[in-house]
Amino acid sequence: MSAVPKNPPSASRSTADWQAADAAHYLHPFTDFQALARKGSRIITRADNIYLWDSDGHKILDAMSGLWCVNVGYGQQALIDAATAQLAQLPFYNSFFQTTTPPAIELAELLAEVAPPQFEHVFFCNSGSEGNDTVVRMVRRYWDLLGQPERSVIVSRHNAYHGSTMAGASLGGMSGMHAQGGLPIPGIVHIEQPYWFEHGKGMSRDDFGLVAAGWLEAKIQELGADKVAAFIGEPVQGAGGVIVPPATYWPEIQRICDKYGILLVSDEVITGFGRTGRWFGCETFGFKPDLMTFAKGVTSGYIPLGGVMVGERIAKVLIGQGGEFNHGYTYSGHPVACAVALANIRLIQRERLVERVRDDTGPYLAECYAALAEHPLVGEAQTCGLMGALLLLKGKASGEAFPAAAEVGMVCRGHCFAEGVIMRAVGDRMIIAPPLVITRAQIDEMVALIRRCLDKTLADVRRRGLL
Ligand code: PXG
């Protein structure tokens, strides 16, 4: 008799039963536990391609790729087979003590191939947060080895998201996170984000990009260049609301970092692996980082894996000067995660998904969003590759926002769930990042659902006298 039951008991549990057990035992991330227990979780039970099904059998178009990660969509047999084969062959061995495994080596090799040319080396972690913790330690180790230990401050930006560990949340610029747990840790400072709508009105976008980059130079001058180790940013801020910077911003950031010899770190956890229509966001925006954090799309979220691509400027010192780098995780280079990443990246290559986003689906989404910009609720519609944002405004022409307490974004999000499409609300910015396998016909389907949700939200705000 098989040890594995054909119908595990879980298959027969009702939604209410799941919700009760969930409320009794499971503390979810970034959640008001009491409020969720009252309301009950949504239980997702299966998925295929770009669609999810919940425990009541409702079909939902996943316009957020899980959590910005399922780039190749759900149900890809090549990834499932790679995991299964590796589990059977060698489910685990570590990369400590002068040892490693073939999948970790092959993935390092393949990442060096798809990453920009300055990257020949990689350090593996399990998540984006751990990747950014590694960045902090590696940046400081680099300056220590060069005999400049006082060069330790890392400059980041308000409203950035770099993870939820102590260093990740400190690098991030989310005030709600800093308020809990005494963050940021010492040696991390923040400048304002390049969000034209909030900080640049009255200027052209290109002029504003130069002004926003100039805030980095002002901060360097305030601190003293000999104290500043690195600047970190997401090419496009994801969790902050899909804030697409002006085209002038990143080249100017690069010029400033070069001028003062400061390391440039691109957090590619969301923008990596094709999301912006290039393999990495830094290629879309024209800059050349010294370090790149990645996670999410490297395995399309099928299994946890993250890491840091290490540019030659840093690798030369870390390797060339010798000495042990006292950092690493049990699961650094986990063979199953690496095997899935290999299958995932090869699938992206085989299906030419990056080129498809660049030449076909990305431009098509941009066209559809230009049409949505005409909707009476939409004050700004932006896309970059397969990321998109719609800013819901009270004053379409004046730029006036709805009162925050009206929670118009959350109202819209409620309609999205009811209509069968997942969008995220960041304040009143409605954001999407659908799987890169989405077709034009599926983009039409997604945009029609979004339009219906905007219409319903418009009816609500009119009924409530907000417009
Ligand atoms: N950097 C960036 C740019 C991210 O978007 C992380 C680091 C941290 O990765 P891990 O794997 O440690 O979660 C992220 C994660 C949201 C949301 O609400 C976004 C993320 C995570 C959770 C929620 O948009 N991004």
Side-chain angles (χ1 to χ4, degrees):
M1 208 176 82
S2 159
V4 182
K6 266 225 168 80
N7 288 308
S10 57
S12 61
R13 293 177 78 162
S14 68
T15 299
D17 190 16
W18 282 124
Q19 289 173 331
D22 178 58
H25 301 292
Y26 184 12
L27 302 177
H28 296 208
F30 283 85
T31 293
D32 176 336
F33 309 124
Q34 216 176 65
L36 180 62
R38 237 179 285 125
K39 192 165 163 227
S41 291
R42 187 174 302 104
I43 316 290
I44 302 297
T45 54
R46 68 187 175 94
D48 187 43
N49 184 237
I50 66 165
Y51 302 99
L52 304 165
W53 282 265
D54 69 15
S55 51
D56 294 325
H58 296 130
K59 182 180 176 186
I60 308 164
L61 190 157
D62 184 7
M64 277 307 299
S65 302
L67 201 47
W68 316 88
C69 50
V70 187
N71 287 7
V72 298
Y74 300 95
Q76 290 284 4
Q77 198 59 43
L79 278 66
I80 299 163
D81 290 345
T84 311
Q86 188 59 44
L87 281 165
Q89 170 83 22
L90 178 70
F92 178 72
Y93 202 75
N94 69 68
S95 290
F96 286 59
F97 319 127
Q98 308 184 357
T99 311
T100 191
T101 63
I105 300 171
E106 275 189 43
L107 180 59
E109 200 170 42
L110 184 56
L111 286 169
E113 181 191 315
V114 299
Q118 71 271 28
F119 295 108
E120 290 295 335
H121 294 86
V122 62
F123 193 97
F124 288 123
C125 311
N126 305 289
S127 67
S129 299
E130 286 182 3
N132 284 325
D133 278 49
T134 301
V135 161
V136 172
R137 303 207 57 204
M138 206 172 260
V139 156
R140 291 183 175 162
R141 169 88 175 142
Y142 169 83
W143 289 113
D144 280 352
L145 284 170
L146 289 183
Q148 299 179 56
E150 68 291 347
R151 205 160 174 158
S152 64
V153 178
I154 300 174
V155 182
S156 181
R157 304 177 298 182
H158 295 302
N159 199 36
Y161 190 80
H162 296 298
S164 196
T165 50
M166 296 295 273
S170 296
L171 289 170
M174 301 291 180
S175 50
M177 293 176 77
H178 291 175
Q180 297 178 354
L183 302 179
I185 56 172
I188 293 173
V189 300
H190 299 83
I191 59 172
E192 205 39 86
Q193 59 180 331
Y195 185 16
W196 177 85
F197 201 84
E198 212 165 285
H199 307 290
K201 290 224 200 82
M203 264 181 262
S204 75
R205 286 188 192 251
D206 280 354
D207 286 350
F208 171 66
L210 298 177
V211 169
W215 295 329
L216 172 60
E217 187 154 29
K219 182 56 84 178
I220 293 167
Q221 285 167 352
E222 175 196 322
L223 296 165
D226 57 340
K227 301 283 187 297
V228 181
F231 174 75
I232 184 169
E234 305 152 77
V236 176
Q237 285 152 264
V242 180
I243 313 286
V244 184
T248 50
Y249 180 75
W250 278 109
E252 180 66 1
I253 289 283
Q254 173 87 66
R255 188 191 67 76
I256 294 165
C257 287
D258 288 349
K259 178 174 168 190
Y260 295 96
I262 288 163
L263 296 170
L264 179 51
V265 186
S266 187
D267 183 338
E268 300 270 359
V269 167
I270 284 177
T271 49
F273 303 96
R275 173 63 55 199
T276 69
R278 297 283 197 284
W279 276 92
F280 293 92
C282 58
E283 297 167 299
T284 298
F285 288 91
F287 65 103
K288 197 167 166 274
D290 299 296
L291 293 169
M292 289 197 310
T293 320
F294 63 88
K296 297 191 188 271
V298 66
T299 57
S300 286
Y302 278 49
I303 197 163
L305 179 71
V308 181
M309 296 302 302
V310 181
E312 283 312 277
R313 173 179 172 191
I314 296 179
K316 261 201 302 226
V317 175
L318 278 184
I319 300 165
Q321 304 243 352
E324 187 166 316
F325 181 44
N326 299 321
H327 176 68
Y329 306 97
T330 299
Y331 300 130
S332 287
H334 192 291
V336 180
C338 291
V340 172
L342 281 165
N344 176 61
I345 295 171
R346 287 175 183 145
L347 179 69
I348 294 172
Q349 289 177 318
R350 211 165 45 244
E351 302 277 323
R352 299 182 60 76
L353 289 181
V354 182
E355 293 80 1
R356 200 159 121 188
V357 174
R358 186 190 63 200
D359 302 332
D360 183 23
T361 47
Y364 186 58
L365 181 69
E367 251 175 62
C368 296
Y369 261 49
L372 282 180
E374 303 301 317
H375 192 277
L377 256 192
V378 174
E380 182 184 57
Q382 279 191 307
T383 66
C384 176
L386 285 185
M387 305 171 88
L390 300 168
L391 175 61
L392 310 185
L393 285 182
K394 181 177 168 73
K396 192 177 171 73
S398 66
E400 188 190 348
F402 286 109
E407 298 204 319
V408 174
M410 289 306 278
V411 170
C412 184
R413 194 181 78 147
H415 286 303
C416 291
F417 279 119
E419 293 298 322
V421 60
I422 293 185
M423 281 210 276
R424 280 247 298 110
V426 179
D428 291 343
R429 280 179 86 80
M430 302 306 301
I431 61 180
I432 57 160
L436 309 188
V437 292
I438 195 168
T439 62
R440 278 183 176 237
Q442 288 173 327
I443 290 176
D444 288 341
E445 180 192 346
M446 175 179 75
V447 169
L449 286 167
I450 291 173
R451 186 179 286 284
R452 194 180 314 157
C453 297
L454 290 173
D455 289 343
K456 292 203 159 186
T457 308
L458 180 63
D460 282 339
V461 297
R462 285 195 171 133
R463 199 174 314 122
R464 291 163 68 196
L466 288 164
L467 201 73

